[in-house]
Each structure stands twice: as C-alpha cells, then as structure tokens.
Amino acid sequence: MSEDTLLSARGLGLRFGAVPALVDVDAELWPGEVLAVVGESGSGKTTLLNVLSGRLRPQAGVVWYRDPEGRLHDVHAMPLPALRALHRSDWGFVHQNPRENLRMGVSAGGNVGERLMAQGARHYGRIREEAIAWLRQVEIDADRVDDLPRSFSGGMLQRLQIARTLVTHPRLVFMDEPTGGLDVSVQARLLDLVRSLVARLGIAAVLVTHDLAVARLLAHRIVVMQRGRVVEAGLTDQVLDDPQHEYTQLLVSSVLQA
Amino acid sequence: MNGPARTMLRTLSLDKTFTLHLRNGLRIPVLRNVALAVQAGECVALTGPSGAGKSTLLRALYGNYRADAGHIWVRHDDRMTDIAAAPPRTVVQVRAATLGYVSQFLRVVPRVAALDIVAEAARGPDPATARARAEALLLRLNIPRRLHALPPATFSGGEQQRVNLARGFIGGHPVLLLDEPTASLDAANRDIVIAMIREAKTRSVAIVGIFHDTTVRDAVADRSYEVTPLQEAA
C-alpha cells in the first residue's frame, strides 16, 4: 500500500461573517480509503467537503492533491481549467440532490455517456455500451437507457448520479449526504451499492453525512466536526463505540436505537 | 505445524478508563496493567465475574476501544505492530490481514444476503471461490440453503450468531478474538463451533475468547486469563 496521501489539507480556515465554518482543520486521505465527516447541521462538514474539492476557496490553509504521476497540486492555486479537468476525470462529486449533477433533459444513457465524451471518447456505440453497463451496475434496467431522468424515482436518480460519477473511474469521490433525501427502504440498497463499488474499484472517498450508521457502514476513518473544528478523528468503530470527546459522546448517545 | 512458540499477540501495561463527559466527567477505570501473551495455536479464555472488563479487554485488543496506556502488539506481516499506538490506517490493515473478531451481535448493511455477507469476508479468493466457501461454512453451521439468499435481519438470534461466526472464520485470520461465540446456540451447534475453534488452533491460529459456557471453555481453552474488577474511583 502506498504511503503517499491522495489528498491532504493543512490549517484550513473559513468564516462566513462572524460564523466560523472551518477553524484550523487538517485532513488526510489515502488511496482506496473512505473518510466520513460527521457532525450536526452547521458544523462545517459540507463546507469542508467543498473546500477539499476546490469548489470553495478557504481564507487560510492549503489543500494538496497528488495526481497519478505523483505530482502534488495545490487545489486552490490551480488554474480553473485544470481544476475543471480534474473534476471531469480523476474526481467525482455525488450531491445529496441528484438533480444538481444530472441533466434532466438528457436521457439516462446520455447522462452517463456525457462524462465519457467530456474525457474525449467519441465512438458512439462504445459510449452507449459503457453507459448501459454502468446502468446495470447501479441496478437500472438497460431498457431505461433512453428515458429521461424526470421519469425516475428519487432512488433511481441517485443511482443514475452514481453511475454518471463513476463511469470515468475516478480515484477520488466526494459525497455529500448521498442517502440523505431517500426513503429508508431505498437507503439500504444504495448504501450497499456504494460500499461494494467503492471497495471493488478501490476508490477513495470523502463522505459527508449526519447519519452515524451510514458512516459506520461505509467509512474506514471518521472525523467529527463541531462549530467548524475537528473535535475528534480516528478509526470509525473506535470513535463511535469509545468516543473520547464530550461532543462525540453526546452525538453517539443521542442516536435513537431502532 | 508445531514449531517453537511464536507470540502472535502481546499486551504490556495496558490501561483503560472510561471518562463519561455527560456524567460530569465520571471516570470508570476498567483495565489496569494487563499483561497477556498468546502463542500461535493457543487459545486463552478471559475469565472473571460479570462486569470485570472481559469484553472491554477483548474490544481493546481489536482496537475497537482505545487503550489509554500500554501496548498491544500483534504479529502482522511478521512484525510486532503496536495497535495501541498505530495510526487508524494501520489498524485497518492489521484487521484486514491478521486480526479477526467475532462480536456477539451481527451488524451489517441491511438487505444484504447472508451468503454475500460471509463471502465478502473471505480474504483473497475470487468471488466464485469465496461464495463456495461461504456456502460450505454456512451449511456446516446448519444454516440451510434456503436462508442463504436472505438478509439475516429476520433470522433467529442463534442463526444470526452462526452467520456471524461464518463471517469471522472464513477469513482464516492468524489471530482471532471471540466474544461469547456460543451464547445463543443449542448443544449441537455449540459442538460444531468447538470443532471449528479446535481446527483453527491446529492451523496455528492464536485465539482469545470469552466463553461463559464452561463446556466450551474446557473444550477449547489451553489456559485462562483472569480479569479482575477494579475499585471504582471518582
């Protein structure tokens, strides 16, 4: 296993007016590893995700990304076209609301194939084949390939977004509450899908969730945030079963047992 | 294979105290100065009264509970790795390759079939081999074929425990931690688990377990390690 981090952040700081969103946050991610960021609304976890992925510029600190050739890139100092290219190829972003990522006026197959075309794929037959293969992977029937996403259920839209994101074989995926807007019955299936795809493809992921059970099932490591600070970090099951910080103890003890 | 004794797991000066911040910082010391060594092919039973800290010790050995002080060395890649001090990433690797754990209760992704849960825990082989092994192990533990495609959420306590055991044993980890592996099992299934533990020992697996059932303990354990309750301090 490589000892080099894929992503590393040092001393991230960001305030929205008087509100501290990130206070001196460090984070590291290794290839193939899933890191969960948990905390309540307003804890800064989505802000952290946006800063790590270059979508939001921090007022302090730096985010380094190591490309497949081993070169380090300061994510917030990259020229915009280079950052966009990164988002099209090495990286993927799964939003809580799939409509933010999907094009609702383009067919399901088109939504998946578009990412391939953005990478330079031109052979229509092959693009379509690959799109259908990915729809299958996310358990969408191949005969829906020409349907518009607006005819899809919430769970199907989320799976379509995942197919669109993973079709380019990203090394790193950012996920913002991927099961957040879904019915509980659909959540379990999606969780299992995400877990098996990430493990099989060896994808590294930063996963933002307020659901500790989701973090437990998907993540190797966990970071607990409160008011913009990382209050605790470590092995997922250790942090959840033996929380050291007062806030983590409160979070863990506040979960309803079904 | 019975070569010279080979230490697979060793603790030194291991301490664990729980601090309950929501209870005004109440401190509950549970483990102090635990020194335990387990050789390859050996099974050590943790004994002591209920509440003495046996489960806490077992969880600490897995890295599930954090050691406050001391060392927990596990032979991983033929080197002793201190998982009490190692970064989380290393603990993940040690668990994947070396250190297995069978908890009392099954905790898995809902709606995943029992067979897949077990097959996924097989290390190394291709998916078809993993599934074949998982099937054989489930059948050995008397989980009938008709249940293999079902998620275990609706299974009885004993069936869930046997799925959990299959998942714990299929990986063939060199060090195995067992928390009450036969608690919900009838005599026939208990005997199967005894046989599986003995077979693991002949494969040089080092085992630490909590066995309340003295029949099981006598049948598998080479010796006991007594966990003594500590005085509660404020």
Side-chain angles (χ1 to χ4, degrees), chain A residues 44-208:
Chain A
K45 56 189 193 301
T46 297
T47 303
L48 176 59
L49 192 74
N50 286 330
V51 168
L52 290 177
S53 61
R55 292 157 50 91
L56 188 62
R57 186 177 289 275
Q59 287 151 347
V62 64
V63 180
W64 296 102
Y65 169 67
R66 191 183 306 272
D67 72 19
E69 281 77 45
R71 288 180 305 238
L72 282 173
H73 301 270
D74 176 342
V75 168
H76 294 279
M78 286 172 87
L80 208 52
L83 183 63
R84 285 207 190 100
L86 205 54
H87 271 281
R88 274 198 306 272
S89 56
D90 280 17
W91 291 5
F93 204 108
V94 175
H95 298 265
Q96 176 174 2
N97 180 356
R99 289 172 185 82
E100 277 186 49
N101 198 351
L102 296 171
R103 296 218 290 152
M104 301 304 281
V106 173
S107 72
N111 264 288
V112 179
E114 201 175 50
R115 282 264 293 184
L116 288 173
M117 287 166 70
Q119 276 199 331
R122 285 294 172 265
H123 188 288
Y124 176 78
R126 249 175 258 144
I127 292 171
R128 187 178 167 86
E129 230 169 71
E130 178 112 24
I132 289 175
W134 267 97
L135 290 181
R136 271 210 199 94
Q137 293 228 46
V138 299
E139 300 164 28
I140 295 175
D141 281 341
D143 59 12
R144 303 295 301 264
V145 63
D146 297 315
D147 293 356
L148 293 179
R150 68 169 69 101
S151 66
F152 286 12
S153 67
M156 281 174 76
L157 284 178
Q158 194 54 287
R159 280 179 278 138
L160 181 59
Q161 182 187 200
I162 287 166
R164 176 180 163 96
T165 306
L166 298 188
V167 67
T168 54
H169 296 274
R171 304 164 71 214
L172 169 58
V173 176
F174 301 94
M175 292 190 265
D176 188 7
E177 303 273 10
T179 58
L182 301 174
D183 289 337
V184 175
S185 59
V186 181
Q187 273 187 24
R189 194 166 156 204
L190 191 81
L191 270 181
D192 185 46
L193 180 74
V194 170
R195 196 185 47 120
S196 60
L197 286 175
V198 165
R200 185 150 48 83
L201 305 173
I203 296 170
V206 183
L207 162 78
V208 160

Side-chain angles (χ1 to χ4, degrees), chain B residues 113-176:
Chain B
L115 185 70
D116 293 330
I117 288 167
V118 177
E120 200 174 75
R123 302 178 302 130
D126 61 280
T129 312
R131 286 176 73 85
R133 267 195 221 162
E135 187 171 25
L137 203 46
L138 285 171
L139 289 173
R140 180 174 186 193
L141 284 158
N142 287 319
I143 303 291
R145 211 169 245 120
R146 66 187 160 78
L147 293 183
H148 292 190
L150 301 178
T154 55
F155 293 8
S156 73
E159 286 164 345
Q160 292 200 14
Q161 185 162 40
R162 280 176 279 145
V163 172
N164 213 13
L165 280 158
R167 188 169 69 146
F169 274 84
I170 198 171
H173 293 93
V175 182
L176 201 51

